[in-house]
Amino acid sequence: MLVNSVITIFYFNAIFLFESTTNYQHYTQNLEAKDTRKKLRLLKKEAVKAPKRPLSAHTLFFKDNFSSEAANPAYAKLTGIAKNSAVMTAVMARFKALPPAQKSVYEKRSAEAKAAYQKEYSKFLASRTPEQLIVQEKVRNLKKKLNPTKSVAKVGKDPKAPKRPESAFLLFFKKNRGSADVSTLAKQWKSLAASEKAKTFNAEYQKAKEIYNAAKEKYQKSTGIIGIRKALNKELEKAVKKPTTGRKKKSAVSKAKSSKKKTAAKRKPAKRTSRVAGKKTVKRSAVKGKKPAKKPVKKIAKSTKKVLFSKK
C-alpha cells in the first residue's frame, strides 16, 4: 500500500512539472492551432464570399506599368525579390511624379469602381441569411485566433439588426462639438461633476440602451441567431474531436461462434507428433487416464536362437 501511494504521488508530481514546462505549452498551442485550421477548412466550404474591394488609384497605375518597367534592361542583372522591389519603387516614384491631369484618370477609375462595389456590397448584405452571417463571423474569429497580429477584414453587420446607442461621452461631444476641439472637450468631460453627467447624458444613454436591448431580443428571436450559433459550435467541436480508440464489442452471434469453437477444441484430444525421416509417428496420447501403448517386442527366429545359445 505504501509503495502504491508513493508511486501515485511521484506520477502526479511528474505530470504537474511537465505541464509547467514550455514544451508542454508549445504542444498545447500546436494542438489548438491544428483544431482551428481544421475548423477553418470546414467553414470555408460553407462560407459565402463577399464582393472584392476596389483597387486604389496607385494600385491601378502599378498594375498597368509593372510589366513594362520590369522589361527595362537596367534590371537585367537583378533577379527575384531584389528585382521586384527595385521595379516597385520605380513605379511608385513614377506615379508620384505624374501630372494632375494623368493622375485624375486613375482616381476617376478608382472612384467608379468604389461606387459599383458599394452597390454590390449593400445587395450582398441584404440577401445574406443569418446562418451565412454567423459562419462569416466564426471564420473571422478563427483567423484572428491563428494570427492575432494580422489584420482581418470586418464582417458587415446585418442592416436589419438594431444599432447600438451612443455613449454618454459621444452625446456630450455632439452637443459641444463646435465650441472646441476633441482634446479640450475630453478634458471638459473629465472635469464635469458626476451629478451633472448623471442628470443629462447618462440618463439619456440609459433610456437609449433599454430601447436597444428590447429591440435586440426581438431581433434574436425572429432570426434565431443564438440557436444557430450554438448548433454550429457543437458541429465544429464534433468534427475536431478525435475518435476514442478501443476494442469493438463482440456481437451475440460472434460470441456464440467463439464459444462453440472452444468447446469443440476441448473435446478433441490434441496429439503430439514428431517427424522421423519424413514420417509422422505418435509419441503419446493426450487423453487422461490412458498410458501410451508399448512397442511390440520382436520375436527371435529359431535359427538365430541356435546360433546365439549354442554351446561351443
Side-chain angles (χ1 to χ4, degrees), residues 180-298:
D181 60 342
V182 179
S183 58
T184 52
L185 284 170
K187 285 175 185 176
Q188 284 176 17
W189 174 255
K190 283 178 182 178
S191 62
L192 267 174
S195 58
E196 196 175 343
K197 282 180 187 178
K199 274 181 187 177
T200 53
F201 304 107
N202 285 337
E204 196 176 339
Y205 169 69
Q206 288 298 327
K207 281 180 184 178
K209 195 179 179 182
E210 284 172 7
I211 294 160
Y212 166 74
N213 287 334
K216 190 182 175 182
E217 280 181 15
K218 193 179 179 182
Y219 168 75
Q220 284 175 349
K221 281 178 183 178
S222 62
T223 53
I225 276 173
I226 295 165
I228 295 161
R229 194 176 280 118
K230 282 180 180 177
L232 181 70
N233 289 331
K234 275 185 180 180
E235 283 177 15
L236 287 171
E237 289 300 323
K238 277 183 184 178
V240 170
K241 199 175 180 182
K242 291 177 182 178
T244 52
T245 54
R247 288 185 179 181
K248 290 181 180 178
K249 288 183 178 180
K250 286 185 178 181
S251 61
V253 179
S254 60
K255 279 180 181 178
K257 282 180 181 179
S258 61
S259 62
K260 279 180 183 179
K261 283 178 183 178
K262 282 177 183 178
T263 49
K266 281 178 182 178
R267 283 172 188 172
K268 286 179 182 180
K271 292 181 178 180
R272 288 181 69 187
T273 60
S274 65
R275 291 179 180 275
V276 179
K279 290 182 180 181
K280 287 184 181 180
T281 55
V282 179
K283 269 194 172 182
R284 63 176 183 182
S285 61
V287 183
K288 290 180 180 180
K290 286 186 179 181
K291 290 179 180 180
K294 289 180 180 180
K295 287 181 181 180
V297 181
K298 287 180 181 179

Side-chain angles (χ1 to χ4, degrees), residues 145-186:
K145 193 179 179 181
L146 273 176
N147 297 315
T149 53
K150 195 177 179 181
S151 61
V152 185
K154 287 183 179 180
V155 179
K157 290 181 181 179
D158 188 5
K160 296 170 189 175
K163 290 182 179 179
R164 287 179 178 277
E166 292 174 340
S167 63
F169 172 71
L170 277 172
L171 293 166
F172 170 78
F173 178 75
K174 272 190 173 182
K175 194 176 181 181
N176 303 293
R177 185 164 43 187
S179 60
D181 60 342
V182 179
S183 58
T184 52
L185 284 170

